[in-house]
Amino acid sequence: PQSIRTITYRLKTMTKTTTTTLKETAARCCKKVYIGTAVLPKPLFIYDHDDDIESKSGDDPPPIIKCATINPVEATDPHHSTPAKPTRYARTLFSEFNSLVIEHHLKWTPLVHSLPWPFHPEHAAAPPPARFGKYDFHHVDALVDYALLQNPQMHIKGHVLVWHVTSPPFLEDLPASQVRSHLKRHIFTTMGHFRGRIRMWD
């Protein structure tokens, strides 16, 4: 269609005129455009093997952890300790994107079943509890708060409130009426917790 060809031409023209980021290109569009990506905690908070970080004299070197994982952060608690210098991953996120998607860690099972307890390595051996209505938003709070601290205008999307693959296993043994009750409570609890911080959900 003509409109798509026009938009494509304008985007190419803007990117040819000057070296710019994806976020800056989106800001120059005639309509609001979100350039988004899913975000992971480890590379956001922990230096990777290719981060160019200089340790101060006498300081311990920063933790080196190969990233690209959905596991919780083991080496640091982002609510109490964030890197003095943003990681390479973080610098790319906040320079190139104006929208972030909180993906795996905001799904129902990670919030109430698989991720709430082993934030620190010594807790990893604990068996997963059946947590009816008990939530641990620690991981997601860390991601959302850090993103908004770096850019208060950052658009954050919550993914996903309900999805059959990531529903807690304890739902399988419940009658339909109780499943509906837990489903409603989950939606109200999760959206209520992030009211004012996450404004779009799926």
Side-chain angles (χ1 to χ4, degrees), residues 124-199:
R131 300 169 61 95
F132 285 93
K134 298 179 181 178
Y135 287 73
D136 189 337
F137 292 108
H138 189 89
H139 298 87
V140 187
D141 278 333
L143 294 169
V144 172
D145 291 346
Y146 185 68
L148 293 176
L149 178 66
Q150 300 300 313
N151 178 8
Q153 303 304 315
M154 179 67 72
H155 177 269
I156 300 178
K157 179 181 178 181
H159 176 85
V160 56
L161 285 169
V162 181
W163 190 31
H164 68 288
V165 176
T166 55
S167 296
F170 54 70
L171 293 176
E172 297 176 4
D173 300 324
L174 300 178
S177 60
Q178 291 188 32
V179 172
R180 284 193 293 268
S181 176
H182 284 295
L183 179 61
K184 181 177 180 179
R185 181 178 60 192
H186 168 67
I187 293 173
F188 275 68
T189 299
T190 305
M191 294 186 69
H193 180 83
F194 292 101
R195 180 179 299 170
R197 292 184 292 166
I198 299 180
R199 302 179 184 275

Side-chain angles (χ1 to χ4, degrees), residues 15 21 50 55-56 58 60-61 66 70-71 83 89 97 107 109-110 126 146 157 165 200:
T15 55
T21 66
D50 61 349
S55 299
K56 295 180 181 179
D60 293 331
K66 187 68 177 176
I70 61 173
N71 293 331
Y89 179 85
F97 300 98
K107 292 175 181 175
T109 290
Y146 185 68
K157 179 181 178 181
V165 176
M200 180 178 290

Side-chain angles (χ1 to χ4, degrees), residues 17-188:
T17 56
T18 182
T19 301
T20 186
T21 66
L22 293 173
K23 183 174 67 176
E24 291 169 342
T25 301
R28 297 172 62 182
C29 294
C30 57
K31 293 185 178 180
K32 183 67 175 180
V33 175
Y34 292 111
I35 306 295
T37 183
V39 60
L40 297 171
K42 271 191 175 180
L44 187 63
F45 297 120
I46 301 177
Y47 300 123
D48 199 2
H49 64 97
D50 61 349
D51 268 300
D52 182 19
I53 303 295
E54 296 181 0
S55 299
K56 295 180 181 179
S57 178
D59 290 347
D60 293 331
I64 305 299
I65 293 181
K66 187 68 177 176
C67 60
T69 174
I70 61 173
N71 293 331
V73 178
E74 294 99 342
T76 184
D77 182 343
H79 273 313
H80 298 93
S81 176
T82 55
K85 177 181 178 182
T87 64
R88 180 181 179 184
Y89 179 85
R91 296 196 301 272
T92 301
L93 281 182
F94 298 116
S95 67
E96 294 290 338
F97 300 98
N98 61 4
S99 177
L100 298 180
V101 180
I102 308 298
E103 214 265 355
H104 176 79
H105 292 77
L106 197 49
K107 292 175 181 175
W108 197 351
T109 290
L111 287 177
V112 302
H113 182 74
S114 63
L115 288 184
W117 72 102
F119 198 82
H120 297 288
E122 62 270 21
H123 300 153
R131 300 169 61 95
F132 285 93
K134 298 179 181 178
Y135 287 73
D136 189 337
F137 292 108
H138 189 89
H139 298 87
V140 187
D141 278 333
L143 294 169
V144 172
D145 291 346
Y146 185 68
L148 293 176
L149 178 66
Q150 300 300 313
N151 178 8
Q153 303 304 315
M154 179 67 72
H155 177 269
I156 300 178
K157 179 181 178 181
H159 176 85
V160 56
L161 285 169
V162 181
W163 190 31
H164 68 288
V165 176
T166 55
S167 296
F170 54 70
L171 293 176
E172 297 176 4
D173 300 324
L174 300 178
S177 60
Q178 291 188 32
V179 172
R180 284 193 293 268
S181 176
H182 284 295
L183 179 61
K184 181 177 180 179
R185 181 178 60 192
H186 168 67
I187 293 173
F188 275 68

